[in-house]
Structure formats: C-alpha cells, structure tokens
Amino acid sequence: MLLPFLGHTQSLPVLTLEEAIEIALKENYGIKIAQQNNEIAAYQVYKGNAGYSPTITYNANFGTVFNYVDQSFFDGRSINRFGRQVNPGTNVALLWTVYDGQLRKYVLDQLRGQEQQAGLQKQVVIQNTMAQLMTLY
C-alpha cells in the first residue's frame, strides 16, 4: 500500500550559507532593533540637544469667574446680579544660558559617546547572530 506514495516525493531546495546570512541580516529582529537604536542615537547628536540653542517657552491661560449676587436689604430693596469676569493671559519667555562651565561641551561629548556605543552594540548583535547562524548551519 505504501509503494504508490514513494514515487511522488520531492526534495526541498538546499539553503546555502550565503542565503542564510542574507536572510538573517534582513529578517532578524535583534539586528533590526540594534539598527534602530543606532539611528536614534545618531539623531540625538546635535548642539541644540546639548544646550547650545536658546529655549523659547510660550504659555497661555484663560480664566473665567462667575458671580451671582442676591441681596435683600431691610428697607425692601433687593439686588439680583449675574457677573462674569474673563482673565486671558499669555507669556513668552526666552532662556539662553551664556556660560555654564563647559557643561554643554561635556553633554555633546556624552551624546557622541552614546552614538559610538550604539554602533558598537549593533556590531556585536550582528556578529553574535552570524556566529550562531554559522554554528547551527
């Protein structure tokens, strides 16, 4: 009974090491995450993030007060009033630190170091993935 099924078997294509490496570089989530972390660290390195540029702050508020007065006097007079008070307010502030003891320079150096560290972590992830792939292959 099993003999008719033996003639219809097909072999699967053989995956070469180069194809496996190419697939791993494109599809591995660890490598994708490491690449995105590297890009994020690269975007963080600019002088404005280190404090070289001024900071502009804009605040706006709107306040309203409602008053209702109902007074009755001994002489028979009565006062019924409804009042409303509107208090809009805005504020614009510009803050620029002239001298901070070279803190900005150190912060910028720290951001550059974080970018280099992210690049090295990406390389480590890629190398570890390739080593595991080659070991399993």
Side-chain angles (χ1 to χ4, degrees), residues 59-63 87-91:
N59 294 319
N61 58 16
F62 187 80
N87 298 320
T90 60
N91 181 21

Side-chain angles (χ1 to χ4, degrees), residues 25 28-42 111-130:
L25 288 175
N28 188 290
Y29 287 116
I31 293 174
K32 288 181 181 181
I33 291 171
Q35 287 173 343
Q36 288 179 353
N37 287 340
N38 190 20
E39 290 175 10
I40 290 170
L111 291 172
R112 288 181 181 144
Q114 289 174 353
E115 178 187 17
Q116 290 175 354
Q117 182 180 7
L120 292 174
Q121 287 176 345
K122 180 181 104 173
Q123 288 178 356
V124 167
V125 168
I126 291 172
Q127 289 175 356
N128 286 340
T129 303
M130 292 301 110

Side-chain angles (χ1 to χ4, degrees), residues 4 9 13 17 45 47 50 60 70 72-73 75 78 84 88 97 110 114 121 123 126-127 129:
T9 60
L17 181 61
V45 180
K47 288 187 175 187
D70 186 12
S72 297
F73 295 99
D75 59 359
S78 73
R84 180 180 72 183
T97 304
Q110 182 181 12
Q114 289 174 353
Q121 287 176 345
Q123 288 178 356
I126 291 172
Q127 289 175 356
T129 303

Side-chain angles (χ1 to χ4, degrees), residues 24-117:
L25 288 175
K26 287 182 184 177
E27 303 295 328
N28 188 290
Y29 287 116
I31 293 174
K32 288 181 181 181
I33 291 171
Q35 287 173 343
Q36 288 179 353
N37 287 340
N38 190 20
E39 290 175 10
I40 290 170
Y43 288 139
Q44 295 296 321
V45 180
Y46 60 95
K47 288 187 175 187
N49 199 16
Y52 280 93
S53 62
T55 303
I56 298 174
T57 306
Y58 177 73
N59 294 319
N61 58 16
F62 187 80
T64 304
V65 177
F66 295 103
N67 294 320
Y68 179 71
V69 177
D70 186 12
Q71 291 180 332
S72 297
F73 295 99
F74 289 117
D75 59 359
R77 293 180 298 145
S78 73
I79 299 174
N80 293 329
R81 290 187 193 160
F82 177 75
R84 180 180 72 183
Q85 182 179 6
V86 179
N87 298 320
T90 60
N91 181 21
V92 177
L94 174 69
L95 177 64
W96 193 358
T97 304
V98 177
Y99 180 73
D100 62 354
Q102 295 186 349
L103 177 66
R104 293 179 284 209
K105 177 182 173 278
Y106 296 128
V107 170
L108 188 61
D109 289 341
Q110 182 181 12
L111 291 172
R112 288 181 181 144
Q114 289 174 353
E115 178 187 17
Q116 290 175 354
Q117 182 180 7

